[in-house]
Amino acid sequence: MTEHNTDRDYPASTIPPGGVEPVPRRVRAVLGGRVVFDTVRALYVWEWPYYPQYYIPRSDVDPDVLVDEQHVQHLKHGTAQRHGLRVGDVERPRSARVFTAEAEKGLEGMVRFDWAALDAWFEEDEEVFVHPRNPYTRVDALRSSRPVRIELDAVVLAESASPVMVFETGLPTRYYLDRTAVNFEHLEPTDTVTACPYKGRTSAYWSVRVGGELHPDLAWAYDFPTRQLLPIAGMVAFYNEKLDVIVDGERLPRPDTHFSR
């Protein structure tokens, strides 16, 4: 249950021609308390249509961290030499690809790291979660006075006249409500934690029990969202793919996304 997925249907306009462009931000990553790379010359490379990956110049990578595994790979963007990472006793085998002279023009000598192999990634001094933020994706959190009611099987789970609406490219509108507007009688906390590159890491998830049936992980909250999404801090949202949302008295159709399944 995550707020990001490569099945998202982004418009074609969110992908630049050629699928490669410079990153205008400083990008860093750490492993075992050591900076693996620190660069202002990273590239966005769209390996999939929905969001980019960072490619890092090898000259900006700590050479003592890379471990050549003597294995050549033929990838979408050309030939690469596979490397592992080692920092003290911490090892991450098969986690970096160093592109050779046979790579696509402009990618020679660039390094592509597996995201999960590193402990933390940063754009400037702010941590980035899950994958790089797509520079062509927009996420807005707007306060509203439109009344919103959340129901499941005719049971009211939450109701508010002061929601925050989150509009994100490729996803249906999410409605965040104050916790005082939520009927927690029907909510049961779970151990689920997810992360989103645009909103940060969740602080809570709840399943919903209605009529004796438990519906897992239907609601979540970000107590400490990213700076851009501060209006949703501490508020609760629900998957409108799996329950009913009534806005201004109108019951909205349930959207069909990868979260529907």
Side-chain angles (χ1 to χ4, degrees), residues 92-213:
R92 298 287 189 270
R94 302 179 298 278
S95 56
R97 280 79 186 161
V98 179
F99 283 84
T100 69
E102 286 75 40
E104 287 183 9
K105 184 177 180 180
L107 299 184
E108 310 95 324
M110 304 297 285
V111 185
R112 196 279 200 194
F113 294 91
D114 291 348
W115 190 276
L118 296 167
D119 293 338
W121 295 71
F122 297 88
E123 288 184 350
E124 299 297 339
D125 291 338
E126 294 190 6
E127 188 171 359
V128 183
F129 303 92
V130 184
H131 60 73
R133 299 170 181 140
N134 187 336
Y136 296 97
T137 293
R138 181 163 183 145
V139 183
D140 294 309
L142 304 181
R143 300 185 185 278
S144 176
S145 58
R146 299 167 64 192
V148 173
R149 187 168 74 252
I150 309 295
E151 295 183 355
L152 181 61
D153 297 337
V155 174
V156 176
L157 302 178
E159 189 166 13
S160 175
S162 55
V164 171
M165 299 184 181
V166 173
F167 303 91
E168 180 176 350
T169 305
L171 284 175
T173 303
R174 300 300 188 195
Y175 302 91
Y176 284 78
L177 311 182
D178 288 322
R179 294 194 188 206
T180 54
V182 177
N183 185 355
F184 281 95
E185 175 186 352
H186 299 287
L187 272 60
E188 300 182 9
T190 76
D191 294 329
T192 300
V193 176
T194 66
C196 168
Y198 308 100
K199 293 182 284 293
R201 184 175 287 116
T202 56
S203 52
Y205 256 88
W206 295 270
S207 295
V208 174
R209 188 178 295 278
V210 171
E213 183 178 356

Side-chain angles (χ1 to χ4, degrees), residues 1-176:
M1 304 284 293
T2 61
E3 279 288 300
H4 72 98
N5 191 293
T6 55
D7 292 335
R8 291 165 71 157
D9 186 18
Y10 285 126
S13 60
T14 65
I15 309 164
V20 177
E21 65 178 36
V23 178
R25 311 170 186 192
R26 180 188 184 191
V27 180
R28 289 174 289 164
V30 297
L31 176 64
R34 183 168 176 172
V35 176
V36 174
F37 64 82
D38 186 343
T39 185
V40 293
R41 300 185 297 143
L43 295 176
Y44 288 124
V45 179
W46 272 258
E47 299 175 343
W48 303 97
Y50 314 103
Y51 57 86
Q53 292 292 345
Y54 294 128
Y55 278 46
I56 309 299
R58 184 170 186 172
S59 57
D60 291 336
V61 178
D62 184 342
D64 296 331
V65 171
L66 290 173
V67 179
D68 192 343
E69 296 178 336
Q70 301 296 315
H71 181 83
V72 174
Q73 294 181 299
H74 301 284
L75 306 174
K76 176 181 178 181
H77 294 290
T79 302
Q81 190 78 27
R82 194 180 71 194
H83 286 64
L85 302 175
R86 181 185 297 133
V87 175
D89 295 332
V90 179
E91 296 189 22
R92 298 287 189 270
R94 302 179 298 278
S95 56
R97 280 79 186 161
V98 179
F99 283 84
T100 69
E102 286 75 40
E104 287 183 9
K105 184 177 180 180
L107 299 184
E108 310 95 324
M110 304 297 285
V111 185
R112 196 279 200 194
F113 294 91
D114 291 348
W115 190 276
L118 296 167
D119 293 338
W121 295 71
F122 297 88
E123 288 184 350
E124 299 297 339
D125 291 338
E126 294 190 6
E127 188 171 359
V128 183
F129 303 92
V130 184
H131 60 73
R133 299 170 181 140
N134 187 336
Y136 296 97
T137 293
R138 181 163 183 145
V139 183
D140 294 309
L142 304 181
R143 300 185 185 278
S144 176
S145 58
R146 299 167 64 192
V148 173
R149 187 168 74 252
I150 309 295
E151 295 183 355
L152 181 61
D153 297 337
V155 174
V156 176
L157 302 178
E159 189 166 13
S160 175
S162 55
V164 171
M165 299 184 181
V166 173
F167 303 91
E168 180 176 350
T169 305
L171 284 175
T173 303
R174 300 300 188 195
Y175 302 91
Y176 284 78

